[in-house]
Amino acid sequence: MIEKKIYIVGAGISGLVAALELEQAGFSPILVEASDRVGGRMKTDEVSGFLLDHGFQVLNTAYPEAKRYLDFSSLHLKTFDPGAIILEGNSSYIITDPLRNPLKLVGMAFSKVGTFLDKLKIFTLTQELKKKSADDIFASPSLTTLEYLKNYGFSDHIITHFFTPFFRGIFLEKELTTSSRMFEFVFKMFSQGQAAIPAKGMGRIPEQLQQRLTKTKILFNCPVLSLEGSTLKLEDGTQMKADRILVAVQPDKIMKQLQGQFDPPKKVINLYFSSPKSILGRPMIGLVVGDRVINNLVCMEEVSEAYAPEGKSLLSVTVLESNLPEKELIKKVQAELEEISGQKAELFKHLKTYNITHALPQVGDMKYSIPATECKIHDHIFLAGDYLLHGSINAAMTSGRIAAEVIINSFR
Ligand SMILES: Cc1cc2nc3c(=O)[nH]c(=O)nc-3n(C[C@H](O)[C@H](O)[C@H](O)COP(=O)(O)OP(=O)(O)OC[C@H]3O[C@@H](n4cnc5c(N)ncnc54)[C@H](O)[C@@H]3O)c2cc1C
């Protein structure tokens, strides 16, 4: 064991991966976590027998870093059927596998979302992105996703009826202003992998990483107030001097000199309802087209039955923006669910609302990886977290791995 004091601030995915790498190099780091558990933005609560993820999110099975760090089989991954159910007015139609098998799309169903040319263009894009590495994607010029789709020649119809609701739910913004680099990366991942959740909730992912740690000490309920030199100051006044500190949380939170240097993060509201029966009837994402407060929804027990008690359906509803007070928002969502499904609004019993104010970082210059020089900001201080690259589980893992490598090298 190497006797060096390495503190990691934040036990999210990036901090946990860094701890794993440091352990493997012989160190015994100390994770200092503000909350009562690991996972950061990836947590699952159990409420009255339902499993509620903190915001609807999925693991893509093609993520290279997830394959490196996670044991998929013991997570008992449950996959979504590829494609989406488009919910428009009170009618719905399914497009199966648009990003993986575009040429096999059934003409009739696809004609509601796009033209034959759109189908061919999806096929071409899939082939192009298969050959383009993730590094090349993130080195490409950055346009807004909307500009990119228009430049690529996609019809307005497919942009409105498929790309917009699908990517809004991933980018958590309405106008598709997110960089085309992120669009290409997500498109590539979805055309090569599957959207999945662990059978017992997204929170199982950080828990699996935590279980693999054998030499790391985790201090829970220990919010760090500030970082001065190589000393961490906790909110309770405790001071801890370190050989190395890895800040695995947006650093302006604890380094006053960096305040104002980050754009405000993207927000999202996730509401959960129980209902007597599934309104989608299959393990697929439902995309709501048109002027509605709901952007997308999923009946979680269709994907993994452990998410709801037997005989109940668990609806996870994503709302991108709303200024309504919570009670009114719940009523509005229930009314929209009635319009969409034909089932009475009162059958949708509200379980919980997660108002997530820090969902995804706003990153101007999105990257796939980071040079060592960019995650070291001082001889003793290093950075990790998705905010350095782009908002994804893969990015958080990459940043944790690279920061750990830089720290290990700093002792040589
Ligand atoms: C609603 C939602 C949907 C998403 N959808 C997807 C998706 O479908 N696919 C995908 O790949 N990614 C998705 N993401 C993104 C993904 O969850 C994140 O990129 C990833 O979890 C970020 O990990 P992190 O370690 O960088 O940060 P965090 O998870 O934010 O971890 C930071 C940790 O630091 C702790 N902390 C904060 N301040 C302090 C302090 N002062 N002292 C001590 N500890 C502190 C926090 O409690 C937290 O545990 C989604 C995120 C959200 C919220």
Side-chain angles (χ1 to χ4, degrees):
M1 193 175 94
I2 308 169
E3 293 293 342
K4 293 283 180 196
K5 269 219 154 22
I6 306 176
Y7 286 101
I8 303 173
V9 182
I13 292 292
S14 62
L16 290 165
V17 162
L20 258 178
E21 289 288 345
L22 288 165
E23 277 198 3
Q24 274 161 25
F27 296 96
S28 302
I30 300 161
L31 269 164
V32 190
E33 168 55 44
S35 72
D36 60 355
R37 56 190 148 149
V38 300
R41 275 168 276 160
M42 284 174 83
K43 286 180 181 150
T44 305
D45 289 332
E46 202 177 326
V47 174
S48 318
F50 294 91
L51 297 179
L52 311 183
D53 291 334
H54 288 211
F56 172 65
Q57 59 178 308
V58 297
L59 174 75
N60 192 299
T61 57
Y63 281 157
E65 300 282 350
K67 290 193 238 176
R68 185 196 287 246
Y69 289 110
L70 300 175
D71 173 1
F72 287 178
S73 66
S74 54
L75 286 173
H76 303 289
L77 289 185
K78 302 285 178 180
T79 53
F80 286 69
D81 282 356
I85 303 178
I86 311 291
L87 303 159
E88 190 173 20
N90 56 7
S91 66
S92 65
Y93 44 95
I94 294 174
I95 36 172
T96 44
D97 224 357
L99 306 188
R100 290 146 52 100
N101 264 322
L103 293 184
K104 284 204 184 144
L105 288 171
V106 182
M108 277 288 283
F110 190 77
S111 66
K112 292 186 179 161
V113 291
T115 62
F116 177 68
L117 259 183
D118 287 323
K119 206 194 266 197
L120 281 185
K121 282 183 193 296
I122 294 183
F123 177 73
T124 320
L125 186 55
T126 314
Q127 299 307 306
E128 280 172 20
L129 294 179
K130 225 177 233 170
K131 288 185 224 135
K132 196 167 173 182
S133 72
D135 280 318
D136 287 344
I137 285 176
F138 282 91
S140 299
S142 175
L143 312 171
T144 71
T145 293
L146 189 61
E147 282 168 336
Y148 178 95
L149 291 169
K150 291 193 167 183
N151 290 355
Y152 207 86
F154 285 111
S155 71
D156 286 347
H157 200 66
I158 195 168
I159 293 178
T160 315
H161 284 76
F162 176 66
F163 285 121
T164 301
F166 190 75
F167 281 92
R168 269 179 177 176
I170 293 172
F171 299 158
L172 306 184
E173 51 94 0
K174 287 192 153 175
E175 311 299 331
L176 299 197
T177 52
T178 298
S179 167
S180 51
R181 295 175 186 168
M182 193 63 188
F183 169 79
E184 284 195 339
F185 178 62
V186 173
F187 193 104
K188 182 180 168 77
M189 291 296 109
F190 273 102
S191 61
Q192 292 173 6
Q194 284 172 289
I197 51 174
K200 293 197 173 163
M202 289 299 281
R204 291 290 160 139
I205 291 175
E207 281 168 24
Q208 184 182 83
L209 294 172
Q210 179 187 9
Q211 279 158 13
R212 288 181 53 201
L213 296 172
T214 54
K215 294 185 288 180
T216 301
K217 188 168 165 193
I218 310 186
L219 308 175
F220 289 111
N221 303 308
C222 279
V224 173
L225 182 65
S226 62
L227 194 174
E228 282 146 35
S230 48
T231 300
L232 281 180
K233 203 169 165 189
L234 302 187
E235 274 183 13
D236 68 5
T238 311
Q239 301 210 7
M240 305 190 296
K241 197 162 166 46
D243 293 302
R244 301 287 185 272
I245 294 173
L246 173 59
V247 183
V249 60
Q250 203 167 284
D252 54 336
K253 291 196 183 206
I254 58 170
M255 298 174 79
K256 309 281 172 278
Q257 64 274 35
L258 295 179
Q259 276 172 4
Q261 307 230 342
F262 294 87
D263 287 333
K266 292 184 201 164
K267 309 170 187 172
V268 70
I269 307 168
N270 182 209
L271 300 101
Y272 283 100
F273 297 87
S274 76
S275 70
K277 66 175 188 180
S278 163
I279 65 167
L280 295 179
R282 53 181 76 214
M284 251 187 171
I285 184 160
L287 302 179
V288 179
V289 176
D291 190 21
R292 298 219 192 254
V293 69
I294 303 177
N295 187 74
N296 53 276
L297 52 92
V298 173
C299 296
M300 298 303 292
E301 80 293 346
E302 296 279 5
V303 190
S304 169
E305 57 186 22
Y307 269 68
E310 219 184 309
K312 300 258 185 201
S313 177
L314 173 66
L315 253 173
S316 170
V317 172
T318 299
V319 170
L320 297 184
E321 267 174 38
S322 164
N323 296 322
L324 295 172
E326 190 188 356
K327 270 194 178 159
E328 284 177 41
L329 178 63
I330 293 168
K331 277 205 165 135
K332 174 122 185 93
V333 169
Q334 285 166 323
E336 289 190 3
L337 290 173
E338 177 170 325
E339 284 161 25
I340 289 168
S341 69
Q343 294 179 26
K344 286 254 166 279
E346 53 270 25
L347 290 177
F348 301 101
K349 303 264 180 263
H350 176 253
L351 289 169
K352 193 159 176 158
T353 302
Y354 291 95
N355 230 314
I356 304 169
T357 51
H358 184 137
L360 294 178
Q362 298 250 28
V363 185
D365 184 20
M366 289 195 179
K367 297 185 190 115
Y368 185 65
S369 190
I370 186 172
T373 45
E374 283 182 31
C375 59
K376 177 175 175 178
I377 53 169
H378 190 275
D379 282 350
H380 303 99
I381 300 172
F382 302 81
L383 299 178
D386 63 350
Y387 64 91
L388 290 170
L389 302 170
H390 60 266
S392 80
I393 299 164
N394 196 68
M397 289 178 163
T398 307
S399 72
R401 172 174 58 75
I402 294 177
E405 285 163 8
V406 178
I407 293 174
I408 295 161
N409 284 333
S410 75
F411 287 111
R412 291 193 174 129

